Amino acid sequence: MMKKALASMVLGAALGALALTGCTGSGADGPSTAASATGGPEARTAALWADRTAYVGDNSKVIALVDQAGFGPLGTYTLSLWTTRPPYAVTIDLPHPAKPFEQTDFSEAATILLGTVRNLDAVHVTSQGKTYSLTAREATATLGHDVKTLGTDRAALAVYIRSSED
């Protein structure tokens, strides 16, 4: 039994990915911008700020941020954290999205995740053969300022959260 567990850990480290499964009770149809589940934009900002992290390998913080960013549509998703070498990435697999994948805007949730995980370079969302990806460079270009500011300046994060909920 111990050999199997050790072999699994070595294999996981060699692949550079950690697969995690999370469940959420969110009633949203996709990435949620609604503040109702978190008590408003101020509470959402506070939660995101508290869980921001320097490393994609901090799996408990990343799981919390994925949920708080809005990636928890009804049911279960699987996370793969690519932590061995750059580019560091998170892949969120939604096996049964609440609404059609192509009708879901993942950009806000991906931007929040890229901003609140300092060394995160890319967010990928997959479902039934479809993929959405956003890199830190692309998010920075869209925002007009460094996306990482969302994780270093609480006021900037609050402004982004408020503007996305309007």
Side-chain angles (χ1 to χ4, degrees), residues 91-117:
T91 299
I92 303 157
D93 182 50
L94 306 168
H96 306 289
K99 68 180 186 181
F101 189 85
E102 50 283 327
Q103 293 177 9
T104 304
D105 182 4
F106 297 105
S107 62
E108 178 202 331
T111 298
I112 290 169
L113 197 56
L114 287 163
T116 56
V117 180

Side-chain angles (χ1 to χ4, degrees), residues 21-97:
T21 302
C23 295
T24 177
S26 171
D29 286 339
S32 172
T33 58
S36 60
T38 59
E42 293 79 19
R44 186 172 182 212
T45 299
L48 287 161
W49 188 257
D51 284 325
R52 66 200 161 93
T53 182
Y55 303 105
V56 110
D58 186 347
N59 63 8
S60 61
K61 293 275 187 171
V62 172
I63 290 168
L65 289 167
V66 166
D67 283 341
Q68 294 160 4
F71 281 112
L74 298 174
T76 302
Y77 57 84
T78 302
L79 296 179
S80 296
L81 307 178
W82 298 95
T83 62
T84 302
R85 63 182 180 274
Y88 301 112
V90 171
T91 299
I92 303 157
D93 182 50
L94 306 168
H96 306 289

Side-chain angles (χ1 to χ4, degrees), residues 6-28:
L6 183 57
S8 293
M9 288 173 32
V10 170
L11 179 61
L15 295 175
L18 175 63
L20 306 165
T21 302
C23 295
T24 177
S26 171

